[in-house]
Amino acid sequence: AALLALALLPAGALLIEGTMMEWSALFLRQERAAEPFAAGLALSVFALSEAGARLIGDRAAEIGGPRPVLLASGLVMGSGILGFALAPSVGMALAFAAVTGAGTGNIYPLSLSLAARMPGRRPEQNVATLTLIGFSAFLIAPPLIGGLADALGLGAAILLLAPLGLLPLAVLARRPKA
């Protein structure tokens, strides 16, 4: 049960990551009238920010522990995707794409580390379970957002992802040792 709860952390982050990879440029083109180059920058800005966060994430987790990094990452990720969906201009949306990337960057790697250290089953079993659940969310993100976009509009579909930033708060509140 604890492993399944922990698997929610990367599932939420990977759902947002999949959405940014597959839908951010289309969102900017359709909803914010972005030029093709500017719309394409959304994924680049997101990915570069995510990579930058990963470069400093391990060190931050060594200094303060994984729990504060995961909590901060969730809040940054949630506020980033919220800002991206509500941004009134392309420039602001690109800035929020960077914020979203900074938030998602460390959730998956740190979740894997926590899963590997969980007592009970072997570390590789825990990592495999977490990866299966997490990447299932990554794979369902594009069609899920597409279906929601058909029903509600693409902006509203992306906006519905913002509460995923609260998953670290909910999951880690039950695991004070993380």
Short mmCIF file of all heavy atoms in Angstrom, two decimals, residues 7-48:
data_model
loop_
_atom_site.label_atom_id
_atom_site.label_comp_id
_atom_site.label_asym_id
_atom_site.label_seq_id
_atom_site.Cartn_x
_atom_site.Cartn_y
_atom_site.Cartn_z
N ALA A 7 3.86 5.63 -5.63
CA ALA A 7 3.80 5.62 -7.09
C ALA A 7 2.93 6.74 -7.65
O ALA A 7 3.03 7.09 -8.82
CB ALA A 7 3.30 4.27 -7.60
N LEU A 8 2.08 7.33 -6.82
CA LEU A 8 1.28 8.48 -7.27
C LEU A 8 2.14 9.70 -7.55
O LEU A 8 1.79 10.52 -8.39
CB LEU A 8 0.22 8.84 -6.22
CG LEU A 8 -0.90 7.84 -6.03
CD1 LEU A 8 -1.81 8.29 -4.89
CD2 LEU A 8 -1.68 7.64 -7.31
N LEU A 9 3.26 9.83 -6.84
CA LEU A 9 4.13 10.99 -7.06
C LEU A 9 4.61 11.08 -8.51
O LEU A 9 4.37 12.08 -9.17
CB LEU A 9 5.32 10.96 -6.11
CG LEU A 9 5.03 11.16 -4.64
CD1 LEU A 9 6.31 11.04 -3.83
CD2 LEU A 9 4.38 12.49 -4.41
N PRO A 10 5.28 10.07 -9.02
CA PRO A 10 5.73 10.20 -10.41
C PRO A 10 4.57 10.10 -11.40
O PRO A 10 4.67 10.65 -12.50
CB PRO A 10 6.73 9.06 -10.59
CG PRO A 10 6.33 8.06 -9.58
CD PRO A 10 5.81 8.85 -8.41
N ALA A 11 3.49 9.43 -11.04
CA ALA A 11 2.36 9.34 -11.97
C ALA A 11 1.83 10.74 -12.28
O ALA A 11 1.58 11.08 -13.44
CB ALA A 11 1.26 8.46 -11.38
N GLY A 12 1.68 11.56 -11.26
CA GLY A 12 1.21 12.93 -11.49
C GLY A 12 2.19 13.75 -12.30
O GLY A 12 1.82 14.46 -13.24
N ALA A 13 3.47 13.64 -11.95
CA ALA A 13 4.49 14.40 -12.67
C ALA A 13 4.60 13.93 -14.12
O ALA A 13 4.75 14.75 -15.04
CB ALA A 13 5.84 14.28 -11.97
N LEU A 14 4.54 12.63 -14.34
CA LEU A 14 4.65 12.12 -15.71
C LEU A 14 3.40 12.42 -16.52
O LEU A 14 3.47 12.59 -17.74
CB LEU A 14 4.97 10.63 -15.68
CG LEU A 14 6.38 10.31 -15.19
CD1 LEU A 14 6.55 8.81 -14.92
CD2 LEU A 14 7.43 10.79 -16.16
N LEU A 15 2.26 12.52 -15.88
CA LEU A 15 1.04 12.95 -16.58
C LEU A 15 1.21 14.38 -17.08
O LEU A 15 0.89 14.70 -18.23
CB LEU A 15 -0.17 12.83 -15.65
CG LEU A 15 -1.54 13.06 -16.26
CD1 LEU A 15 -1.86 12.02 -17.31
CD2 LEU A 15 -2.60 13.02 -15.17
N ILE A 16 1.74 15.23 -16.24
CA ILE A 16 1.99 16.62 -16.64
C ILE A 16 3.08 16.68 -17.70
O ILE A 16 2.97 17.41 -18.69
CB ILE A 16 2.31 17.49 -15.42
CG1 ILE A 16 1.03 17.70 -14.60
CG2 ILE A 16 2.92 18.83 -15.84
CD1 ILE A 16 1.21 18.48 -13.33
N GLU A 17 4.13 15.89 -17.53
CA GLU A 17 5.21 15.88 -18.52
C GLU A 17 4.69 15.43 -19.89
O GLU A 17 4.99 16.04 -20.92
CB GLU A 17 6.34 14.98 -18.06
CG GLU A 17 7.52 14.99 -19.00
CD GLU A 17 8.70 14.17 -18.49
OE1 GLU A 17 8.68 13.72 -17.32
OE2 GLU A 17 9.65 13.99 -19.27
N GLY A 18 3.89 14.37 -19.91
CA GLY A 18 3.31 13.91 -21.16
C GLY A 18 2.41 14.96 -21.81
O GLY A 18 2.41 15.13 -23.03
N THR A 19 1.68 15.67 -20.99
CA THR A 19 0.82 16.73 -21.50
C THR A 19 1.65 17.85 -22.12
O THR A 19 1.33 18.35 -23.20
CB THR A 19 -0.07 17.28 -20.36
OG1 THR A 19 -0.90 16.22 -19.90
CG2 THR A 19 -0.92 18.44 -20.83
N MET A 20 2.71 18.24 -21.43
CA MET A 20 3.56 19.30 -21.97
C MET A 20 4.23 18.85 -23.27
O MET A 20 4.35 19.64 -24.21
CB MET A 20 4.61 19.73 -20.95
CG MET A 20 4.04 20.46 -19.74
SD MET A 20 3.17 21.99 -20.15
CE MET A 20 4.52 23.03 -20.68
N MET A 21 4.63 17.61 -23.35
CA MET A 21 5.28 17.11 -24.56
C MET A 21 4.31 17.08 -25.74
O MET A 21 4.70 17.42 -26.85
CB MET A 21 5.85 15.71 -24.32
CG MET A 21 7.04 15.70 -23.39
SD MET A 21 7.63 14.03 -23.05
CE MET A 21 8.20 13.54 -24.66
N GLU A 22 3.10 16.67 -25.50
CA GLU A 22 2.17 16.42 -26.60
C GLU A 22 1.21 17.58 -26.90
O GLU A 22 0.72 17.67 -28.01
CB GLU A 22 1.35 15.16 -26.31
CG GLU A 22 2.18 13.92 -26.07
CD GLU A 22 3.00 13.48 -27.28
OE1 GLU A 22 2.61 13.80 -28.42
OE2 GLU A 22 4.03 12.83 -27.06
N TRP A 23 0.92 18.41 -25.91
CA TRP A 23 -0.16 19.38 -26.09
C TRP A 23 0.25 20.84 -25.92
O TRP A 23 -0.52 21.73 -26.28
CB TRP A 23 -1.29 19.07 -25.10
CG TRP A 23 -1.97 17.79 -25.41
CD1 TRP A 23 -1.78 16.59 -24.79
CD2 TRP A 23 -2.92 17.56 -26.44
NE1 TRP A 23 -2.56 15.63 -25.37
CE2 TRP A 23 -3.28 16.20 -26.38
CE3 TRP A 23 -3.52 18.37 -27.41
CZ2 TRP A 23 -4.21 15.62 -27.25
CZ3 TRP A 23 -4.45 17.79 -28.27
CH2 TRP A 23 -4.78 16.44 -28.19
N SER A 24 1.42 21.13 -25.39
CA SER A 24 1.75 22.52 -25.10
C SER A 24 1.82 23.39 -26.35
O SER A 24 1.30 24.52 -26.37
CB SER A 24 3.06 22.62 -24.31
OG SER A 24 4.14 22.06 -25.03
N ALA A 25 2.44 22.90 -27.41
CA ALA A 25 2.55 23.70 -28.63
C ALA A 25 1.17 23.93 -29.26
O ALA A 25 0.86 25.04 -29.69
CB ALA A 25 3.48 23.02 -29.63
N LEU A 26 0.36 22.89 -29.29
CA LEU A 26 -0.99 23.04 -29.84
C LEU A 26 -1.81 24.02 -29.00
O LEU A 26 -2.55 24.85 -29.55
CB LEU A 26 -1.68 21.68 -29.91
CG LEU A 26 -3.05 21.67 -30.57
CD1 LEU A 26 -2.96 22.11 -32.02
CD2 LEU A 26 -3.67 20.28 -30.47
N PHE A 27 -1.67 23.94 -27.70
CA PHE A 27 -2.37 24.87 -26.82
C PHE A 27 -1.98 26.32 -27.15
O PHE A 27 -2.84 27.19 -27.28
CB PHE A 27 -2.06 24.56 -25.35
CG PHE A 27 -2.53 25.61 -24.39
CD1 PHE A 27 -3.87 25.75 -24.08
CD2 PHE A 27 -1.62 26.48 -23.80
CE1 PHE A 27 -4.30 26.73 -23.20
CE2 PHE A 27 -2.04 27.45 -22.92
CZ PHE A 27 -3.39 27.58 -22.62
N LEU A 28 -0.68 26.56 -27.27
CA LEU A 28 -0.24 27.92 -27.56
C LEU A 28 -0.69 28.39 -28.94
O LEU A 28 -1.06 29.56 -29.12
CB LEU A 28 1.27 28.04 -27.43
CG LEU A 28 1.81 27.93 -26.01
CD1 LEU A 28 3.32 28.04 -25.99
CD2 LEU A 28 1.18 28.98 -25.10
N ARG A 29 -0.71 27.50 -29.93
CA ARG A 29 -1.17 27.88 -31.27
C ARG A 29 -2.67 28.17 -31.26
O ARG A 29 -3.10 29.20 -31.78
CB ARG A 29 -0.89 26.75 -32.28
CG ARG A 29 0.54 26.60 -32.68
CD ARG A 29 1.02 27.64 -33.64
NE ARG A 29 0.46 27.44 -34.98
CZ ARG A 29 0.37 28.40 -35.87
NH1 ARG A 29 0.83 29.60 -35.62
NH2 ARG A 29 -0.15 28.16 -37.05
N GLN A 30 -3.45 27.27 -30.69
CA GLN A 30 -4.91 27.40 -30.76
C GLN A 30 -5.47 28.41 -29.76
O GLN A 30 -6.36 29.18 -30.10
CB GLN A 30 -5.58 26.05 -30.52
CG GLN A 30 -5.41 25.09 -31.65
CD GLN A 30 -6.15 23.80 -31.40
OE1 GLN A 30 -6.60 23.50 -30.30
NE2 GLN A 30 -6.26 22.99 -32.44
N GLU A 31 -4.98 28.38 -28.55
CA GLU A 31 -5.58 29.18 -27.49
C GLU A 31 -4.92 30.55 -27.30
O GLU A 31 -5.54 31.45 -26.75
CB GLU A 31 -5.54 28.41 -26.17
CG GLU A 31 -6.12 27.02 -26.22
CD GLU A 31 -7.62 27.00 -26.02
OE1 GLU A 31 -8.14 27.89 -25.34
OE2 GLU A 31 -8.26 26.06 -26.53
N ARG A 32 -3.66 30.67 -27.69
CA ARG A 32 -2.94 31.93 -27.48
C ARG A 32 -2.41 32.53 -28.77
O ARG A 32 -1.69 33.51 -28.74
CB ARG A 32 -1.77 31.74 -26.49
CG ARG A 32 -2.19 31.24 -25.11
CD ARG A 32 -3.10 32.23 -24.40
NE ARG A 32 -3.48 31.75 -23.09
CZ ARG A 32 -4.65 31.17 -22.82
NH1 ARG A 32 -5.54 31.00 -23.77
NH2 ARG A 32 -4.94 30.77 -21.60
N ALA A 33 -2.79 31.95 -29.91
CA ALA A 33 -2.43 32.45 -31.24
C ALA A 33 -0.92 32.64 -31.41
O ALA A 33 -0.47 33.59 -32.04
CB ALA A 33 -3.18 33.74 -31.55
N ALA A 34 -0.15 31.74 -30.85
CA ALA A 34 1.30 31.82 -30.96
C ALA A 34 1.75 31.48 -32.37
O ALA A 34 1.15 30.64 -33.05
CB ALA A 34 1.96 30.86 -29.97
N GLU A 35 2.82 32.12 -32.79
CA GLU A 35 3.46 31.76 -34.05
C GLU A 35 4.07 30.36 -33.89
O GLU A 35 4.38 29.95 -32.77
CB GLU A 35 4.54 32.79 -34.40
CG GLU A 35 3.99 34.17 -34.69
CD GLU A 35 3.07 34.20 -35.91
OE1 GLU A 35 3.37 33.52 -36.90
OE2 GLU A 35 2.04 34.89 -35.85
N PRO A 36 4.28 29.65 -34.99
CA PRO A 36 4.80 28.28 -34.87
C PRO A 36 6.10 28.17 -34.07
O PRO A 36 6.24 27.26 -33.25
CB PRO A 36 5.01 27.85 -36.32
CG PRO A 36 4.01 28.66 -37.09
CD PRO A 36 3.93 29.98 -36.38
N PHE A 37 7.04 29.08 -34.29
CA PHE A 37 8.30 28.99 -33.55
C PHE A 37 8.08 29.17 -32.06
O PHE A 37 8.61 28.40 -31.24
CB PHE A 37 9.30 30.04 -34.06
CG PHE A 37 10.62 30.00 -33.35
CD1 PHE A 37 11.55 29.02 -33.66
CD2 PHE A 37 10.92 30.92 -32.36
CE1 PHE A 37 12.77 28.96 -33.00
CE2 PHE A 37 12.14 30.88 -31.70
CZ PHE A 37 13.07 29.89 -32.01
N ALA A 38 7.29 30.15 -31.69
CA ALA A 38 7.02 30.40 -30.26
C ALA A 38 6.28 29.23 -29.63
O ALA A 38 6.57 28.84 -28.50
CB ALA A 38 6.24 31.69 -30.08
N ALA A 39 5.35 28.66 -30.36
CA ALA A 39 4.60 27.51 -29.84
C ALA A 39 5.54 26.33 -29.62
O ALA A 39 5.45 25.63 -28.60
CB ALA A 39 3.48 27.13 -30.78
N GLY A 40 6.47 26.12 -30.54
CA GLY A 40 7.42 25.03 -30.41
C GLY A 40 8.40 25.22 -29.27
O GLY A 40 8.97 24.25 -28.76
N LEU A 41 8.59 26.46 -28.86
CA LEU A 41 9.49 26.73 -27.74
C LEU A 41 8.97 26.18 -26.41
O LEU A 41 9.76 25.93 -25.50
CB LEU A 41 9.73 28.23 -27.59
CG LEU A 41 10.73 28.87 -28.52
CD1 LEU A 41 10.77 30.38 -28.29
CD2 LEU A 41 12.10 28.27 -28.35
N ALA A 42 7.68 26.00 -26.31
CA ALA A 42 7.11 25.55 -25.04
C ALA A 42 7.76 24.25 -24.57
O ALA A 42 8.17 24.15 -23.41
CB ALA A 42 5.60 25.39 -25.15
N LEU A 43 7.85 23.27 -25.44
CA LEU A 43 8.46 22.01 -25.04
C LEU A 43 9.94 22.18 -24.75
O LEU A 43 10.46 21.62 -23.79
CB LEU A 43 8.25 20.93 -26.12
CG LEU A 43 8.94 19.60 -25.84
CD1 LEU A 43 8.50 19.00 -24.50
CD2 LEU A 43 8.69 18.64 -26.97
N SER A 44 10.63 22.98 -25.56
CA SER A 44 12.06 23.21 -25.33
C SER A 44 12.31 23.88 -23.99
O SER A 44 13.20 23.46 -23.24
CB SER A 44 12.64 24.07 -26.45
OG SER A 44 12.53 23.41 -27.69
N VAL A 45 11.54 24.89 -23.69
CA VAL A 45 11.69 25.61 -22.42
C VAL A 45 11.39 24.67 -21.25
O VAL A 45 12.12 24.64 -20.26
CB VAL A 45 10.78 26.86 -22.40
CG1 VAL A 45 10.64 27.45 -21.03
CG2 VAL A 45 11.29 27.89 -23.39
N PHE A 46 10.32 23.91 -21.38
CA PHE A 46 9.95 22.94 -20.36
C PHE A 46 11.07 21.93 -20.14
O PHE A 46 11.51 21.69 -19.01
CB PHE A 46 8.65 22.22 -20.76
CG PHE A 46 8.31 21.06 -19.89
CD1 PHE A 46 7.67 21.25 -18.68
CD2 PHE A 46 8.64 19.76 -20.26
CE1 PHE A 46 7.35 20.17 -17.86
CE2 PHE A 46 8.33 18.68 -19.46
CZ PHE A 46 7.69 18.88 -18.26
N ALA A 47 11.57 21.34 -21.22
CA ALA A 47 12.59 20.29 -21.12
C ALA A 47 13.91 20.83 -20.57
O ALA A 47 14.56 20.16 -19.76
CB ALA A 47 12.80 19.64 -22.48
N LEU A 48 14.31 22.00 -21.00
CA LEU A 48 15.56 22.58 -20.48
C LEU A 48 15.45 22.89 -18.99
O LEU A 48 16.38 22.66 -18.22
CB LEU A 48 15.93 23.84 -21.26
CG LEU A 48 16.47 23.60 -22.67
CD1 LEU A 48 16.59 24.91 -23.42
CD2 LEU A 48 17.81 22.88 -22.60
#
